[in-house]
Every structure is written in C-alpha cells, then in structure tokens.
Amino acid sequence: MPGHFEPLPGGGAAVALDDVEISIIRSLAVQLMELIGPGPGADTSADPLAELFADGPSEPPADPVLRRLFPDAYSDPEKAPDSPAEAEERRAHSAEFRRYTENDLRAGKRENALTVIRTLDALVPAGEGGAVLELSPEESRKWLGALNDLRLAIGARLEIADEDDTDLLYRLPDEDPRKPMVMAYLWLGGLQETLVTTLMS
C-alpha cells in the first residue's frame, strides 16, 4: 500500500502516507483553494438563492494556472479559426459558457480540495509516523478531482503542454530549481493513476 491506492472492501480506497507526504498534499490543497478563491463577484453574505443564479465571469482568467483549470470551452488549439468571424464566434460562445458554468466549477474544485484537507486532518497517526488514509467512494472521487487539479496547476507552472514535455522532466539535473516541483508533479501523477485503477476495479 505505501505510495499507491488500494481498494477497500465495500468501495473506497486506502493509501499509506508518511508525515512529509501528508504535509505536502495538504499544503498544495490549501494553496489550490486560495488560488481558486470564491470566484469573481462572489459575495458570501448575499442571498443564497441570488448566489445560485449569479452570472460568472465572461473573460478567461489572467493567471495561467487558472486558465488551465478553467479553459475556454470552445477553443481548439489543434484547429485555428478559418476566419476572423469564426474566431469572434468562438469567443462569444466561450464567454457565454463561462458566464453560466465557471462559478459552479470553482465551487466544485474548492469542495474537492476541502475534502482532501479534511480527510488528512482527520488522520490518526500510526506508530512509526504517517498514517493510512481510508476514503469512502465519494471521498475517493473528490480526491481524484483534486489530484487532477493539483497536477494541472503544477503542470501550468512548469509550462507542460504535452507528453514530450513530461519526458523531459525526468532528465532535469538535480540542481535545477524546478526539480522539487517536478518531483511533486510526477508523484501526484502516480497517486492519481493508482486511484483511477482502484476506482475502476
């Protein structure tokens, strides 16, 4: 079980984490929540019903990490628009889609990160340091979403665009200042992969 998720009887997943791993994941989840924030224009003191129907932003975020977490729905990096009119139409559709969906997406991503923090905070330390994290099926799905978001966020900071970029990460020299972030990116990828396998088993 160390370093990878395994299925629990009746559903859910478990993984053994040491104190350093727990600290890293929790810190990253807190940073992710702070980055996502409550969303543009959000007002926690407002009427909850009004909040439910509040419009989200129509423009993509300025931060490259947030752009990766909340991409334009109608942009296709593989296919350039055929004309300025088509480009404008894509922008209009993307803006409309973002306005009606981004607030909900932000709330979902915050909830996933908060689940990671709460489940880690509830751990009972084992005798030799660290603990075994046991997740319900619902918690497992939220962890999977949070792990994906964390990797997207780190990948954006590392400017990883495709698999070729990932291959280059393995060859970074130890003195490269990006090395700790790369190690976290690869480690979270391993956790994510074993959690996917566990949930599909």
Side-chain angles (χ1 to χ4, degrees):
M1 184 185 298
H4 61 273
F5 280 96
E6 293 183 0
L8 286 173
V15 62
L17 299 169
D18 65 31
D19 290 338
V20 173
E21 292 168 335
I22 292 168
S23 176
I24 290 171
I25 297 174
R26 190 186 188 286
S27 174
L28 289 172
V30 168
Q31 291 176 56
L32 182 65
M33 283 189 67
E34 290 172 350
L35 180 65
I36 292 170
D43 180 4
T44 54
S45 65
D47 173 12
L49 194 57
E51 232 177 86
L52 184 63
F53 294 103
D55 284 352
S58 58
E59 294 298 319
D63 187 296
V65 173
L66 290 176
R67 280 201 305 274
R68 183 76 63 93
L69 292 172
F70 305 104
D72 273 337
Y74 291 90
S75 68
D76 185 355
E78 303 291 319
K79 182 181 181 296
D82 294 330
S83 67
E86 184 184 344
E88 183 54 39
E89 185 180 11
R90 280 192 195 179
R91 279 194 293 273
H93 287 316
S94 291
E96 188 79 355
F97 186 83
R98 184 179 296 280
R99 186 159 55 247
Y100 291 115
T101 61
E102 186 168 312
N103 284 348
D104 285 343
L105 288 173
R106 282 180 182 266
K109 291 179 185 299
R110 280 196 303 273
E111 179 61 30
N112 290 344
L114 189 57
T115 296
V116 169
I117 294 165
R118 286 175 173 162
T119 52
L120 291 176
D121 287 349
L123 283 175
V124 177
E128 298 178 0
V132 174
L133 175 71
E134 295 189 354
L135 302 172
S136 69
E138 182 182 358
E139 289 170 339
S140 298
R141 286 188 290 275
K142 290 182 176 180
W143 259 76
L144 189 57
L147 287 172
N148 186 61
D149 288 341
L150 288 172
R151 291 193 77 239
L152 284 173
I154 295 172
R157 289 287 186 245
L158 291 170
E159 300 180 346
I160 297 171
D162 54 38
E163 273 311 307
D164 292 339
D165 294 336
T166 306
D167 293 339
L168 293 173
L169 298 180
Y170 287 99
R171 298 194 289 275
L172 280 181
D174 289 342
E175 60 272 14
D176 193 299
R178 296 170 294 170
K179 190 74 171 188
M181 199 182 297
V182 167
M183 298 304 293
Y185 178 82
L186 297 174
W187 171 59
L188 291 172
L191 279 178
Q192 182 183 14
E193 186 177 336
T194 61
L195 184 52
V196 169
T197 303
T198 295
L199 294 179
M200 292 178 64
S201 63

